[in-house]
Every structure is written in structure tokens, then in C-alpha cells.
Amino acid sequence: MYHYCILCRNRSNVLYWESKTLRSNTILFGRISTLPDGTSVWLNADSKLLYDNNFGINNRDVTLCGEGYFEVSKNKNLPFQVVSDDIKVEVLGTKFNVKNYPEDPNIKVALLEGSVMLYDSLESTILKPNQIAQYDKQNKKTTLKTIAAENTSAWINGHLYFDEENMETIALALERAFDVNITIKDETLKKMIFYGDFIIESNNIDEIMNIMAATNKFNYHYKIRKNEIEIFQ
């Protein structure tokens, strides 16, 4: 049995520490200043990171559910490994972002600095800075794309950054950020693409919905009832 602390966020957006005992170390939403090896980790909403009591001694293995940004301390003798469903990311020291929520169709790994090796169920892929690997959970294939990688971790500074994202993906991000439930009534709306950058503390959910609806190529209507949102043509 292991003793650990978790950082939680309640529905009033209040952060608090909670101490528990379990069979592994589990870290929930918030910034973790350092793991036992000196690595810094940020966790997005509705995310958790697990590691055992041998972490930093004979392994540096963590398991991620959700989204995390890592600044890994260097240790040539112990590679840092992030496991998330079918993929494993292995590094010695670098900065990268991993996103894999259960409802996401893809697992995304974006590299900001250094180099990482990504292993999926079929092959291995080396990432270079400003590349993102997308692993399709259904067809079990990984594709690489060049991006501005710093945008993938904008959420650690309270930003919601959407770069060529469809409405269905955006709705999931808004649900996690604002603790709401979003229903898209029209199938064609789910596939519409949007580009934008919002600051969570400055833009509430109503303002974001208005801004997106006002764009020429993203025209829709919506209704908000408490924490329920319906989007329709």
C-alpha cells in the first residue's frame, strides 16, 4: 500500500490537496512541481498520472490518462517512459505533450524540445522538435505532422488553442474546461473546422460560443440551460 497526495479541482474551480492511501501513486488535475526524479509535470482537466514507489530508483515509468505536459530531467541511465493505452513514449530529457482521453479517436504526442521515441502496437517512430505524432486508435497507425509545437501546451497557461480542429473535438475540450455537457444536433456541424485561441479566465463559455458562431465559415445557433449546451444549424 502506498501513501500519496492528489491535487483536485472541484466544480467551483477550487484547487485542494487530498491525502490518500492506495496501491500506486496517483496525481490528478493541476501542476505537479516535480516528480521524485526532478521532472516537472502539468496535468490538464480530467487527467491523472500514475507511478509506483520505485520511480526514480530503478525505473522512470508513468501511466497517463488524459493530457499531460512534461519537462523531463536528464538521466542517461534511466529513460523516462510515458504509457497511454497502446503507445509508449521514451525519452532521456526533453519537453513534450501527450494527449489521450478515453473519448479521443487519436493519441497525440507533440515534441517541443529534444527527441523522443514513440512505440505503438506495430512500430516505432522518432519525433523531432515541432512534430506531432497522431496514433489512430481504430486503425492502429501513427502519422507525423510538422506544427508549432508550443501551441499544444498552451493549456498550461490557461489557453484553449484550436488549430484546424473540428467542432466535435472542440466540444470535448470545452466540456472539460468549463464543466458543461455539449450536444451537437447536426452531423455536418461536427466536421466543421475552426481556428482560434481563447483565455479561459477572460472568456466564459457563452462568449466563446458567440465568437465561434460569428465566424463566416462556422455559423450555428446554440442554447444554454445551466450546464447543458445544444448546438444546431
Side-chain angles (χ1 to χ4, degrees):
M1 303 293 283
Y2 304 139
H3 183 76
Y4 66 94
C5 290
I6 60 176
L7 184 60
C8 309
R9 180 179 66 171
N10 62 21
R11 287 180 175 266
S12 300
N13 204 32
V14 175
L15 293 174
Y16 62 94
W17 284 100
E18 187 174 301
S19 181
K20 288 188 175 181
T21 300
L22 198 66
R23 294 185 180 276
S24 63
N25 295 293
T26 305
I27 299 169
L28 303 181
F29 177 81
R31 178 186 173 180
I32 310 306
S33 58
T34 56
L35 294 180
D37 70 331
T39 292
S40 295
V41 182
W42 289 254
L43 294 181
N44 208 342
D46 199 21
S47 303
K48 63 181 178 180
L49 189 75
L50 299 90
Y51 61 93
D52 65 32
N53 278 3
N54 291 318
F55 180 90
I57 301 172
N58 57 20
N59 75 76
R60 292 204 294 166
D61 303 343
V62 300
T63 300
L64 174 71
C65 179
E67 184 169 15
Y69 170 70
F70 301 83
E71 294 188 355
V72 179
S73 62
K74 293 183 178 181
N75 185 334
K76 294 182 179 180
N77 297 319
L78 281 180
F80 188 93
Q81 297 187 137
V82 180
V83 176
S84 192
D85 287 341
D86 287 345
I87 68 109
K88 178 177 72 175
V89 181
E90 181 176 295
V91 305
L92 295 176
T94 188
K95 298 180 181 180
F96 63 102
N97 194 81
V98 180
K99 182 182 179 185
N100 178 28
Y101 287 96
E103 61 271 23
D104 290 343
N106 301 311
I107 303 174
K108 297 180 180 181
V109 180
L111 182 64
L112 284 76
E113 293 182 12
S115 177
V116 304
M117 179 72 80
L118 184 149
Y119 301 90
D120 61 31
S121 57
L122 298 175
E123 60 185 0
S124 61
T125 305
I126 297 176
L127 271 72
K128 297 178 181 179
N130 287 317
Q131 285 187 327
I132 186 169
Q134 297 190 91
Y135 174 77
D136 190 304
K137 296 178 183 179
Q138 185 172 5
N139 66 29
K140 309 294 185 182
K141 291 184 178 180
T142 298
T143 57
L144 280 179
K145 181 181 178 181
T146 299
I147 60 166
E150 67 272 12
N151 292 330
T152 64
S153 61
W155 58 267
I156 70 175
N157 295 313
H159 286 248
L160 286 172
Y161 184 85
F162 303 120
D163 183 10
E164 203 174 345
E165 298 284 1
N166 62 46
M167 186 60 176
E168 192 169 25
T169 300
I170 292 171
L172 291 173
L174 293 175
E175 285 181 335
R176 291 189 286 263
F178 292 98
D179 192 23
V180 296
N181 297 314
I182 299 177
T183 303
I184 304 174
K185 294 294 188 179
D186 194 304
E187 289 295 320
T188 60
L189 281 175
K190 293 181 180 180
K191 306 305 177 185
M192 295 187 72
I193 303 300
F194 180 79
Y195 303 80
D197 182 13
F198 302 101
I199 301 174
I200 294 175
E201 290 186 357
S202 302
N203 302 113
N204 61 41
I205 185 65
D206 198 19
E207 290 171 334
I208 292 175
M209 299 300 294
N210 272 326
I211 291 169
M212 292 174 58
T215 61
N216 292 332
K217 295 182 179 180
F218 216 67
N219 191 25
Y220 62 84
H221 303 281
Y222 69 94
K223 294 180 181 178
I224 298 180
R225 297 183 181 90
K226 295 184 179 180
N227 69 329
E228 299 290 333
I229 301 174
E230 289 186 2
I231 300 174
F232 54 92
Q233 290 278 24

